Amino acid sequence: MTRREKIIDYLASHGTGMIEAVTTSEVAEGLGILRSNVSKELNQLVREGLVNKQSGRPVRYWLNTTGIKLDPIEEKKIESTKIGFAADKSIEPKKVFTPFSRRKGNTFESMVGHQDSLKNQVEQAKAALLYPPHGLNTLIIGPTGSGKTYFANTMYHFAVDSDILTKKQFITFNCADYAHNPQLLMSHLFGYVKGAFTGANEDKDGLIQQADGGMLFLDEVHRLPPEGQEMIFYFMDHGIYSRLGETAKVHHADIRLVCATTENPESSLLQTFVRRIPIIIQLPAFQQRTAHEKIQLLEQLLTLEANRIQKNICLNEDVVQALIGSVTYGNVGQLKSNVQLVCAQGFLNSMQDKNEISLQFEQLPPNIKDGLSHLANNRHELGEITKLLDTKMIIKPDAQKKYTEVDSYELPYNLYEIIGDKAALLKDEGLDKSSINNFIMTDINLHLKSFYSRGKLDKAENKLNEIVDQDIIDLTKRIQKFLVEEEAYPARANFIYAMSLHISSFVKRIQSGKPLRQISKDLTSMVHDYPDELEVAQKVKGIIEDSYQFPIPESEVYYMAILLASLKAEPKAGKVGIVVAAHGKSTASSMAQVVTQLLSVDNITSFDMPLEMSPKVALDGIAVQVKKINQGNGVLLLVDMGSLSTFSSKLTEKTRIEVRTIDMVTTAMILEAARKTALIDSDLLTVYRELREFAGYSRTTEKVTEKKEKGTLPNDDGRQKVIIAVCSTGEGTAKKIKELLDKILIDNLINDLKVIPISVVQMKQEVQKIKKNQRIVAATGIVDPNVSVPFIPLEKLLQDGGESLISLIEGMELEIDQSEDFEYSDVLTEEIAQKYLEQYFTFINPKKITGILWKYCDFLDRRVQKKLTNAFKISLIMHLAGAIERVLTNSEMAVPADELELMKKDSLYSTVQQANEILQEALNIKLGGNEIYYIMQLFNTEFQKN
């Protein structure tokens, strides 16, 4: 049973009337589901009309069995509520904005601009839906955030009101969600039969079958692969289709198909596909809307927030102008994001006021404040907007709202419930109002920033325009289309960025009359390994020559071949998997559960190892978990101590999956591992290396100061820190990328990092040369150089304006600040060891035993081949404590006899035996051969690390 079904069942069990209504917290507690997840599902059910929602605090929900219904409190508001400008002024009818009331057949009249900038589009939509006998397929084109999903949703409601659908079903599918996996995308759309692919254990219908009789909306349809477009247009022609794994087209469906794209359909879609869509609707960008429409859109979005908060929203003329001017790239979607941010901030600042929240210009975030100056730059537009504004605007909750318009910018949870709950929780913890506000606003920014990150895609191309001319970008898109359609060559998303930069570089070189690059022996030998890429590069050369009407030298063909080979490399698989393994019946699973709940991650699993379990059984059990959690990028094994820390090579051999092990696991370490694997584009080696330096999240200022006085931090070896930028040639455009990166660093006051551009040709050799005298801390560019540092693709750097790079650099500084304190102090290390012993062990007295075990470590430190780090000493102490407990409980671990015989030949054996005499003298405890074996394994693992 899914989470959604559980919640519906729970509501049904409590009755279907308002008297039996329950709160989000009651549902979460009753079902044992996280409150945020319950809130998300309940709000979605309200949108779908399956659940009713009662206003007030706390918000209550009950199952709806009679259709969408308002509670009595909301019904009373219908006559009294108005929206628009200052409440004390009379409002002319044309200024009254009731966006959600609708009569039968009147759906489009609620849309802002239906009689102005959207008049033709609305007529097109109506014609497409009403055309006999089954309507016409429609393609909606518009920039990101222009309202394509909203428009499609309104088309659906018009179709319902006009009784032209046999089933009230609106199915939405975003083709970009599965663009990296065409087979998965196709299986979602068309369904599949048992055995069609690995994991297809039963027949399953696709979205086309689910939408039968209703409407199917395909968003970002340009991300549909060519074979998918072909299957769709066959279905458009004949009304029949086959599921994956079937040869005959035997399934029939009658659907109204609406597609949407941000791209030019002539260059991003197959012509055979476009020809089958007779109605193409172009939506305007926000800047193309009239001044009156911009204000109406703002009012509509503010009304949505007022309905959620159930308070009036009060704002002055400056705030209105700042919000309208803040829209720079994301159109209505960006405006909606900004409205939600300022309303959340206003709600937080006005929690004591039961009736109203006030949005003050002084409290706006800097990027939204800048909207006022952006608007002022266009005097005509500012004048038009000012004419329509009063000095004060008051938006009231609109109880005539009958349904919520769903779009891709609709948050899947009630942000204000989250704010209220967190504020109450932090207040109970004793935080003052200022601290609560700072804490929650950081959280709100993260929520919205994460949710709207996809809205920056258009901004990436705008940034690319700063480096490369638009005609070259357009040419590159044509080349990409040719390669995919004519050559069946895998030109992925990063192709546009890399090839545009490369073409720009050599075109500018030729146009400026600079000498042509020569073909070196190294380049020739590399190209011979890629004959397919060389052949494709020759064809690309022909396309470029046709475009620019001048010959392209052969040397550039060789460079293009190497670039194509670099780009063809398979993209990284999923996240690095994490397996937590520890001694005890629930130690590992408890820690993993805490982290999973805190971060909502899906790449962690655990293995509990009772003390009586043999290492062989544990190895087999962990191997199962490694296979289960692997996403193709390796697995990190986090263990507590003992034999578990020796399993890496055995697991890699057994599972054929690369495994790295870190011992002395804590909940903080698992949190950090989850954070790194979820948020940073790093491979297993990178995460492993960085976690070995991790020593927790909290420490005192005194210790930081002490460390800085003592000298260089362990992560800082004194070499110049550099970021490498990988370009096609290392010249020309590389200089522009370096300038872009330098500007990002300067803008963020970072002056200790140097940017070095390198070419994909001889990339490995150049990296090795840099490593000799400098320290590479990050990489960016057209391909990943695979140098065990975090890599940020060029397209991501352009999309977020350098935010990912700055976050990465700040994260590195944090890790340097948080590196292991105990490497500088034996006293501190001994204290930490005692704390760990108190946390994990039952049958020993940590205060008495810690000093003895530390003495044991010192004895071995003076006699083994390498200096023992304090981190390893703690690990050894933990292992010894476990060994002592096993002796006391008669649960010694087993070791094969041949392994014991082999162990005795090791020079370390006699040294460990001598050290064991310390335990025998002080505690009258003698460790047997089996325990000595595992102590030696611990040492061997440590020596292998170094």
Side-chain angles (χ1 to χ4, degrees):
M1 185 179 287
T2 65
R3 183 170 67 199
R4 174 191 172 99
E5 290 167 346
K6 287 178 182 177
I7 291 171
I8 291 173
D9 278 0
Y10 184 88
L11 293 175
S13 69
H14 282 71
T16 57
M18 196 192 308
I19 298 172
E20 293 87 6
V22 294
T23 65
T24 307
S25 297
E26 287 169 350
V27 179
E29 190 175 332
L31 295 176
I33 301 173
L34 284 177
R35 190 189 184 289
S36 57
N37 289 336
V38 172
S39 178
K40 173 182 173 181
E41 294 291 355
L42 284 172
N43 280 292
Q44 182 59 34
L45 289 168
V46 170
R47 291 189 191 101
E48 295 171 13
L50 298 175
V51 169
N52 283 325
K53 180 176 179 179
Q54 182 186 21
S55 58
R57 297 285 169 188
V59 178
R60 294 185 176 274
Y61 303 85
W62 72 97
L63 205 59
N64 182 11
T65 57
T66 59
I68 300 175
K69 179 181 173 184
L70 297 172
D71 68 274
I73 297 173
E74 288 185 331
E75 285 175 354
K76 286 179 183 177
K77 295 175 185 173
I78 293 177
E79 296 302 321
S80 61
T81 55
K82 291 181 181 178
I83 54 174
F85 302 106
D88 57 342
K89 301 190 71 156
S90 60
I91 304 174
E92 294 176 16
K94 65 178 182 179
K95 287 190 178 182
V96 176
F97 177 53
T98 54
F100 298 106
S101 59
R102 62 183 179 96
R103 305 184 304 277
K104 190 172 179 66
N106 191 37
T107 312
F108 282 108
E109 290 186 18
S110 66
M111 182 179 286
V112 174
H114 72 280
Q115 290 185 327
D116 202 333
S117 64
L118 293 180
K119 186 174 182 178
N120 290 337
Q121 290 85 337
V122 168
E123 293 305 315
Q124 282 182 288
K126 288 179 179 178
L129 293 167
L130 297 172
Y131 193 87
H134 301 296
L136 299 172
N137 299 315
T138 306
L139 176 64
I140 304 172
I141 304 171
T144 301
S146 57
K148 296 183 293 295
T149 306
Y150 172 80
F151 195 91
N153 190 269
T154 308
M155 287 178 67
Y156 164 71
H157 284 291
F158 177 83
V160 170
D161 289 350
S162 303
D163 296 325
I164 57 178
L165 297 179
T166 58
K167 188 166 68 172
K168 294 179 181 180
Q169 187 81 277
F170 182 68
I171 302 292
T172 298
F173 181 70
N174 191 318
C175 300
D177 290 344
Y178 301 96
H180 65 285
N181 190 334
Q183 186 186 54
L184 188 59
L185 189 154
M186 307 291 283
S187 70
H188 271 282
L189 271 179
F190 295 98
Y192 54 83
V193 295
K194 183 178 179 180
F197 51 84
T198 304
N201 299 320
E202 60 183 359
D203 293 355
K204 186 174 180 180
D205 286 334
L207 295 177
I208 286 179
Q209 194 60 48
Q210 290 179 36
D212 187 21
M215 184 179 286
L216 175 63
F217 175 55
L218 298 181
D219 199 5
E220 299 196 63
V221 70
H222 61 277
R223 304 298 293 275
L224 198 63
E227 60 269 29
Q229 294 180 41
E230 289 170 359
M231 291 175 73
I232 287 285
F233 71 63
Y234 185 93
F235 169 70
M236 284 190 253
D237 285 349
H238 304 282
I240 58 174
Y241 67 96
S242 60
R243 294 184 293 188
L244 262 65
E246 289 179 334
T247 52
K249 292 179 169 57
V250 296
H251 302 282
H252 177 272
D254 176 20
I255 64 173
R256 302 300 177 104
L257 183 66
V258 179
C259 305
T261 180
T262 56
E263 303 295 311
N264 180 350
E266 297 299 321
S267 59
S268 61
L269 295 168
L270 296 176
Q271 288 308 299
T272 46
F273 181 80
V274 176
R275 280 200 298 270
R276 284 164 172 81
I277 303 180
I279 302 291
I280 297 181
I281 298 174
Q282 176 75 55
L283 295 185
F286 183 76
Q287 301 305 335
Q288 295 170 311
R289 298 287 199 123
T290 66
H292 187 254
E293 286 176 18
K294 289 176 181 177
I295 295 171
Q296 281 188 304
L297 285 166
L298 179 61
E299 286 182 311
Q300 184 180 36
L301 297 173
L302 286 166
T303 303
L304 282 171
E305 302 310 310
N307 287 334
R308 290 192 178 105
I309 308 167
Q310 285 301 303
K311 291 182 181 182
N312 294 345
I313 298 176
C314 180
L315 59 164
N316 61 27
E317 187 179 5
D318 284 349
V319 176
V320 173
Q321 291 172 346
L323 282 166
I324 291 174
S326 70
V327 180
T328 54
Y329 63 86
N331 298 292
V332 183
Q334 186 189 7
L335 180 63
K336 186 168 189 174
S337 167
N338 291 345
V339 165
Q340 287 172 333
L341 178 61
V342 298
C343 286
Q345 189 173 40
F347 176 77
L348 187 60
N349 292 329
S350 310
M351 288 186 70
Q352 307 308 315
D353 191 331
K354 294 182 180 179
N355 301 315
E356 182 179 274
I357 73 168
S358 178
L359 306 182
Q360 303 292 334
F361 182 81
E362 297 74 24
Q363 296 173 343
L364 296 180
N367 62 310
I368 296 176
K369 275 185 181 177
D370 290 345
L372 191 57
S373 57
H374 291 156
L375 191 60
N377 289 334
N378 187 335
R379 291 191 177 185
H380 175 73
E381 185 180 11
L382 178 62
E384 290 298 309
I385 289 173
T386 304
K387 285 179 194 175
L388 298 168
L389 287 179
D390 290 319
T391 54
K392 193 174 183 182
M393 178 189 285
I394 295 178
I395 302 292
K396 298 184 178 183
D398 176 20
Q400 297 182 55
K401 173 183 168 187
K402 292 290 195 299
Y403 64 93
T404 301
E405 299 295 358
V406 178
D407 62 34
S408 56
Y409 292 86
E410 188 68 30
L411 289 172
Y413 44 76
N414 189 321
L415 190 60
Y416 303 102
E417 286 185 10
I418 293 173
I419 295 171
D421 292 346
K422 288 198 174 184
L425 183 65
L426 294 171
K427 188 176 181 182
D428 290 343
E429 293 291 327
L431 273 70
D432 59 29
K433 184 179 177 182
S434 175
S435 300
I436 291 173
N437 286 10
N438 288 335
F439 188 98
I440 293 179
M441 279 313 297
T442 301
D443 207 25
I444 290 168
N445 274 295
L446 287 172
H447 270 289
L448 296 176
K449 188 176 177 182
S450 170
F451 186 73
Y452 290 106
S453 60
R454 64 180 180 273
K456 295 186 177 180
L457 295 177
D458 279 356
K459 190 180 178 184
E461 189 165 312
N462 292 338
K463 282 285 184 182
L464 187 59
N465 278 334
E466 294 176 10
I467 304 172
V468 178
D469 294 338
Q470 183 61 46
D471 62 327
I472 290 177
I473 297 174
D474 294 339
L475 171 63
T476 307
K477 287 182 177 178
R478 291 208 309 275
I479 293 170
Q480 183 186 40
K481 186 181 179 186
F482 165 77
L483 294 180
V484 171
E485 293 181 14
E486 305 295 329
E487 299 294 318
Y489 192 87
R492 300 187 181 87
N494 61 344
F495 178 89
I496 298 292
Y497 300 91
M499 187 58 77
S500 292
L501 292 167
H502 182 82
I503 293 173
S504 176
S505 175
F506 73 74
V507 166
K508 293 288 168 63
R509 175 179 284 273
I510 290 171
Q511 289 175 339
S512 63
K514 290 183 179 178
L516 302 176
R517 287 188 287 260
Q518 300 301 311
I519 305 177
S520 66
K521 290 181 180 178
D522 292 328
L523 185 61
T524 306
S525 62
M526 285 180 73
V527 170
H528 283 160
D529 294 333
Y530 303 106
D532 293 342
E533 279 66 32
L534 186 59
E535 184 181 342
V536 170
Q538 290 285 0
K539 294 177 180 178
V540 172
K541 171 193 171 189
I543 296 173
I544 299 170
E545 286 177 334
D546 289 344
S547 265
Y548 285 97
Q549 297 299 309
F550 57 68
I552 303 299
E554 199 64 24
S555 60
E556 295 303 338
V557 177
Y558 275 64
Y559 276 103
M560 271 195 290
I562 294 300
L563 177 62
L564 288 168
S566 301
L567 295 174
K568 191 178 179 182
E570 283 298 317
K572 270 186 186 171
K575 302 172 188 172
V576 173
I578 301 171
V579 176
V580 182
H583 292 83
K585 291 183 179 178
S586 63
T587 307
S589 54
S590 296
M591 288 191 287
Q593 183 182 15
V594 168
V595 173
T596 302
Q597 288 181 345
L598 284 173
L599 298 183
S600 298
V601 290
D602 59 358
N603 61 325
I604 296 180
T605 187
S606 59
F607 183 82
D608 294 308
M609 182 179 175
L611 293 176
E612 63 272 13
M613 182 181 287
S614 73
K616 186 178 184 311
V617 173
L619 178 65
D620 292 340
I622 294 172
V624 170
Q625 297 303 316
V626 166
K627 289 178 181 177
K628 170 185 168 185
I629 207 65
N630 178 50
Q631 297 181 16
N633 210 3
V635 172
L636 187 68
L637 177 62
L638 303 177
V639 304
D640 56 349
M641 58 186 181
S643 58
L644 295 175
S645 62
T646 68
F647 282 176
S648 280
S649 57
K650 294 175 184 175
L651 285 167
T652 300
E653 185 180 341
K654 194 177 184 72
T655 63
R656 302 191 177 215
I657 297 166
E658 188 178 359
V659 178
R660 293 291 179 122
T661 303
I662 297 178
D663 51 17
M664 295 304 300
V665 65
T666 62
T667 303
M669 180 183 284
I670 305 170
L671 274 167
E672 184 68 359
R675 185 184 71 82
K676 287 182 182 298
T677 55
L679 300 180
I680 298 179
D681 181 20
S682 298
D683 57 17
L684 175 63
L685 187 60
T686 302
V687 177
Y688 168 74
R689 178 179 57 78
E690 291 176 352
L691 277 178
R692 283 186 60 193
E693 304 294 332
F694 179 71
Y697 290 115
S698 58
R699 23 179 237 162
T700 63
T701 307
E702 290 79 4
K703 288 172 188 170
V704 179
T705 307
E706 180 187 344
K707 278 176 64 172
K708 286 182 178 176
E709 287 172 355
K710 287 192 176 185
T712 310
L713 293 166
N715 277 353
D716 188 359
D717 55 13
R719 290 180 294 167
Q720 166 75 57
K721 289 181 285 188
V722 300
I723 300 171
I724 57 173
V726 184
C727 313
S728 54
T729 63
E731 305 170 17
T733 312
K735 184 180 177 183
K736 292 185 179 179
I737 295 177
K738 182 181 185 307
E739 288 171 359
L740 173 68
L741 289 168
D742 284 339
K743 183 177 184 303
I744 291 170
L745 296 175
I746 290 167
D747 287 347
N748 288 274
L749 304 178
I750 297 170
N751 57 12
D752 61 341
L753 283 176
K754 181 180 177 183
V755 179
I756 300 180
I758 64 173
S759 166
V760 290
V761 181
Q762 295 185 318
M763 183 167 59
K764 291 182 180 177
Q765 294 92 319
E766 290 191 51
V767 166
Q768 291 306 317
K769 197 183 297 182
I770 293 168
K771 279 184 171 180
K772 285 181 181 177
N773 302 309
Q774 294 160 309
R775 178 174 163 230
I776 300 172
V777 295
T780 185
I782 58 175
V783 292
D784 187 348
N786 294 315
V787 287
S788 300
V789 298
F791 171 71
I792 301 170
L794 180 61
E795 56 267 33
K796 185 176 180 184
L797 191 73
L798 294 171
Q799 283 167 16
D800 63 19
E803 287 180 20
S804 51
L805 178 66
I806 298 306
S807 299
L808 181 65
I809 292 167
E810 288 172 350
M812 288 188 296
E813 289 170 354
L814 183 66
E815 284 159 19
I816 291 174
D817 284 346
Q818 294 180 340
S819 54
E820 301 174 40
D821 294 316
F822 45 75
E823 286 304 323
Y824 293 85
S825 165
D826 285 352
V827 175
L828 179 59
T829 310
E830 206 170 325
E831 289 174 6
I832 291 171
Q834 185 175 315
K835 286 180 182 177
Y836 278 139
L837 294 178
E838 289 169 352
Q839 183 179 350
Y840 285 107
F841 294 97
T842 309
F843 299 102
I844 57 175
N845 185 333
K847 288 183 180 177
K848 291 185 178 179
I849 201 173
T850 303
I852 298 167
L853 298 182
W854 189 260
K855 185 179 177 183
Y856 182 104
C857 293
D858 279 345
F859 177 86
L860 289 172
D861 193 14
R862 292 191 295 271
R863 288 164 177 78
V864 295
Q865 54 185 309
K866 290 184 179 178
K867 176 73 177 172
L868 301 183
T869 64
N870 284 343
F872 177 73
K873 287 180 182 179
I874 290 184
S875 182
L876 180 57
I877 286 172
M878 294 290 285
H879 179 88
L880 290 169
I884 292 168
E885 275 207 349
R886 285 191 290 276
V887 171
L888 294 174
T889 56
N890 294 315
S891 53
E892 195 176 48
M893 293 189 289
V895 179
D898 57 338
E899 292 280 346
L900 288 175
E901 288 302 316
L902 201 62
M903 168 192 75
K904 292 176 183 176
K905 297 176 183 177
D906 193 315
S907 58
L908 185 61
Y909 176 71
S910 59
T911 308
V912 174
Q913 272 195 316
Q914 292 171 35
N916 286 348
E917 292 174 9
I918 296 173
L919 301 181
Q920 195 164 353
E921 269 182 41
L923 304 172
N924 197 26
I925 289 176
K926 184 176 182 180
L927 299 183
N930 292 359
E931 295 296 350
I932 294 175
Y933 171 83
Y934 284 113
I935 292 170
M936 290 175 62
Q937 288 295 315
L938 200 62
F939 272 92
N940 290 334
T941 302
E942 177 67 11
F943 294 156
Q944 285 170 14
K945 289 179 186 177
N946 302 317

